mmCIF file of all heavy atoms in Angstrom:
data_model
loop_
_atom_site.group_PDB
_atom_site.id
_atom_site.type_symbol
_atom_site.label_atom_id
_atom_site.label_comp_id
_atom_site.label_asym_id
_atom_site.label_seq_id
_atom_site.Cartn_x
_atom_site.Cartn_y
_atom_site.Cartn_z
ATOM 1 N N ILE A 421 84.845 118.211 120.192
ATOM 2 C CA ILE A 421 85.315 119.478 120.772
ATOM 3 C C ILE A 421 84.311 120.593 120.453
ATOM 4 O O ILE A 421 83.994 121.420 121.314
ATOM 5 C CB ILE A 421 86.726 119.800 120.250
ATOM 6 C CG1 ILE A 421 87.687 118.728 120.759
ATOM 7 C CG2 ILE A 421 87.162 121.189 120.699
ATOM 8 C CD1 ILE A 421 89.120 118.893 120.337
ATOM 9 N N ASN A 424 81.305 121.552 122.672
ATOM 10 C CA ASN A 424 81.479 122.436 123.827
ATOM 11 C C ASN A 424 80.508 123.615 123.843
ATOM 12 O O ASN A 424 80.176 124.123 124.913
ATOM 13 C CB ASN A 424 82.902 122.999 123.806
ATOM 14 C CG ASN A 424 83.713 122.521 124.980
ATOM 15 O OD1 ASN A 424 83.166 122.099 125.977
ATOM 16 N ND2 ASN A 424 85.020 122.607 124.857
ATOM 17 N N THR A 425 80.082 124.089 122.657
ATOM 18 C CA THR A 425 79.177 125.253 122.641
ATOM 19 C C THR A 425 77.732 124.866 122.969
ATOM 20 O O THR A 425 77.156 125.442 123.887
ATOM 21 C CB THR A 425 79.289 126.001 121.298
ATOM 22 O OG1 THR A 425 80.595 126.568 121.226
ATOM 23 C CG2 THR A 425 78.253 127.116 121.197
ATOM 24 N N ASP A 427 76.879 122.439 124.588
ATOM 25 C CA ASP A 427 76.983 122.019 125.992
ATOM 26 C C ASP A 427 77.230 123.286 126.831
ATOM 27 O O ASP A 427 78.254 123.428 127.490
ATOM 28 C CB ASP A 427 78.141 121.028 126.122
ATOM 29 C CG ASP A 427 78.310 120.523 127.533
ATOM 30 O OD1 ASP A 427 77.519 120.921 128.417
ATOM 31 O OD2 ASP A 427 79.251 119.748 127.758
ATOM 32 N N HIS A 430 78.571 124.032 130.613
ATOM 33 C CA HIS A 430 79.971 124.063 131.050
ATOM 34 C C HIS A 430 80.547 125.479 131.024
ATOM 35 O O HIS A 430 81.589 125.718 131.613
ATOM 36 C CB HIS A 430 80.802 123.073 130.217
ATOM 37 C CG HIS A 430 81.547 123.687 129.077
ATOM 38 N ND1 HIS A 430 80.925 124.101 127.924
ATOM 39 C CD2 HIS A 430 82.863 123.978 128.914
ATOM 40 C CE1 HIS A 430 81.828 124.611 127.105
ATOM 41 N NE2 HIS A 430 83.010 124.550 127.667
ATOM 42 N N PHE A 431 79.853 126.432 130.368
ATOM 43 C CA PHE A 431 80.347 127.823 130.380
ATOM 44 C C PHE A 431 80.548 128.289 131.830
ATOM 45 O O PHE A 431 81.518 128.946 132.169
ATOM 46 C CB PHE A 431 79.351 128.782 129.714
ATOM 47 C CG PHE A 431 79.182 128.652 128.222
ATOM 48 C CD1 PHE A 431 79.796 127.652 127.484
ATOM 49 C CD2 PHE A 431 78.383 129.560 127.541
ATOM 50 C CE1 PHE A 431 79.613 127.552 126.114
ATOM 51 C CE2 PHE A 431 78.200 129.477 126.173
ATOM 52 C CZ PHE A 431 78.807 128.468 125.459
ATOM 53 N N VAL A 434 82.985 125.289 134.009
ATOM 54 C CA VAL A 434 84.403 125.172 133.626
ATOM 55 C C VAL A 434 85.054 126.540 133.455
ATOM 56 O O VAL A 434 86.205 126.749 133.838
ATOM 57 C CB VAL A 434 84.535 124.336 132.325
ATOM 58 C CG1 VAL A 434 85.969 124.308 131.832
ATOM 59 C CG2 VAL A 434 84.021 122.920 132.550
ATOM 60 N N HIS A 435 84.305 127.500 132.887
ATOM 61 C CA HIS A 435 84.914 128.788 132.536
ATOM 62 C C HIS A 435 84.505 129.927 133.477
ATOM 63 O O HIS A 435 84.946 131.067 133.274
ATOM 64 C CB HIS A 435 84.558 129.163 131.090
ATOM 65 C CG HIS A 435 85.007 128.141 130.084
ATOM 66 N ND1 HIS A 435 86.325 127.767 129.938
ATOM 67 C CD2 HIS A 435 84.310 127.391 129.186
ATOM 68 C CE1 HIS A 435 86.422 126.835 128.986
ATOM 69 N NE2 HIS A 435 85.202 126.588 128.523
ATOM 70 N N MET A 437 81.714 131.553 133.745
ATOM 71 C CA MET A 437 80.932 132.625 133.103
ATOM 72 C C MET A 437 79.557 132.725 133.754
ATOM 73 O O MET A 437 78.913 131.704 134.005
ATOM 74 C CB MET A 437 80.727 132.320 131.618
ATOM 75 C CG MET A 437 82.002 132.333 130.812
ATOM 76 S SD MET A 437 81.621 131.858 129.102
ATOM 77 C CE MET A 437 83.247 131.923 128.387
ATOM 78 N N TYR A 472 79.015 137.322 123.144
ATOM 79 C CA TYR A 472 79.361 136.155 122.330
ATOM 80 C C TYR A 472 78.400 136.079 121.158
ATOM 81 O O TYR A 472 77.190 135.984 121.336
ATOM 82 C CB TYR A 472 79.151 134.895 123.164
ATOM 83 C CG TYR A 472 80.395 134.198 123.656
ATOM 84 C CD1 TYR A 472 80.369 133.526 124.876
ATOM 85 C CD2 TYR A 472 81.557 134.151 122.910
ATOM 86 C CE1 TYR A 472 81.480 132.843 125.341
ATOM 87 C CE2 TYR A 472 82.672 133.473 123.379
ATOM 88 C CZ TYR A 472 82.624 132.828 124.591
ATOM 89 O OH TYR A 472 83.721 132.152 125.037
ATOM 90 N N MET A 542 90.922 129.672 128.424
ATOM 91 C CA MET A 542 89.776 128.784 128.174
ATOM 92 C C MET A 542 90.231 127.422 127.651
ATOM 93 O O MET A 542 89.652 126.398 128.004
ATOM 94 C CB MET A 542 88.785 129.444 127.225
ATOM 95 C CG MET A 542 88.108 130.618 127.906
ATOM 96 S SD MET A 542 86.660 131.190 127.046
ATOM 97 C CE MET A 542 86.374 132.724 127.943
ATOM 98 N N LEU A 543 91.271 127.407 126.820
ATOM 99 C CA LEU A 543 91.796 126.114 126.357
ATOM 100 C C LEU A 543 92.314 125.298 127.542
ATOM 101 O O LEU A 543 92.084 124.088 127.624
ATOM 102 C CB LEU A 543 92.949 126.324 125.362
ATOM 103 C CG LEU A 543 92.610 126.872 123.977
ATOM 104 C CD1 LEU A 543 93.894 126.993 123.140
ATOM 105 C CD2 LEU A 543 91.614 125.983 123.252
ATOM 106 N N GLU A 545 91.321 125.570 130.643
ATOM 107 C CA GLU A 545 90.177 125.149 131.464
ATOM 108 C C GLU A 545 89.461 123.943 130.853
ATOM 109 O O GLU A 545 88.981 123.058 131.561
ATOM 110 C CB GLU A 545 89.195 126.320 131.633
ATOM 111 C CG GLU A 545 89.754 127.410 132.542
ATOM 112 C CD GLU A 545 88.960 128.717 132.476
ATOM 113 O OE1 GLU A 545 88.130 128.894 131.544
ATOM 114 O OE2 GLU A 545 89.184 129.580 133.345
ATOM 115 N N ASP A 546 89.398 123.929 129.508
ATOM 116 C CA ASP A 546 88.739 122.796 128.832
ATOM 117 C C ASP A 546 89.610 121.539 128.838
ATOM 118 O O ASP A 546 89.102 120.438 128.608
ATOM 119 C CB ASP A 546 88.435 123.152 127.364
ATOM 120 C CG ASP A 546 87.144 123.941 127.215
ATOM 121 O OD1 ASP A 546 86.206 123.696 127.996
ATOM 122 O OD2 ASP A 546 87.078 124.800 126.314
ATOM 123 N N ALA A 547 90.907 121.704 129.086
ATOM 124 C CA ALA A 547 91.830 120.568 128.904
ATOM 125 C C ALA A 547 91.484 119.412 129.847
ATOM 126 O O ALA A 547 91.532 118.249 129.449
ATOM 127 C CB ALA A 547 93.273 121.017 129.119
ATOM 128 N N PRO A 549 88.472 118.442 131.456
ATOM 129 C CA PRO A 549 87.341 117.593 131.067
ATOM 130 C C PRO A 549 87.533 116.871 129.731
ATOM 131 O O PRO A 549 86.965 115.795 129.527
ATOM 132 C CB PRO A 549 86.151 118.558 130.989
ATOM 133 C CG PRO A 549 86.683 119.926 131.139
ATOM 134 C CD PRO A 549 88.064 119.841 131.707
ATOM 135 N N LEU A 550 88.348 117.453 128.839
ATOM 136 C CA LEU A 550 88.522 116.802 127.525
ATOM 137 C C LEU A 550 89.585 115.690 127.550
ATOM 138 O O LEU A 550 89.619 114.851 126.657
ATOM 139 C CB LEU A 550 88.916 117.832 126.457
ATOM 140 C CG LEU A 550 87.853 118.862 126.057
ATOM 141 C CD1 LEU A 550 88.385 119.783 124.970
ATOM 142 C CD2 LEU A 550 86.566 118.196 125.579
HETATM 143 FE FE1 LIG B 164 84.869 125.252 126.882
#
Side-chain angles (χ1 to χ4, degrees):
I421 295 180
N424 245 340
T425 293
D427 181 1
H430 98 286
F431 291 5
V434 175
H435 301 301
M437 294 177 181
Y472 254 148
M542 291 195 191
L543 289 181
E545 289 167 346
D546 277 326
L550 292 181

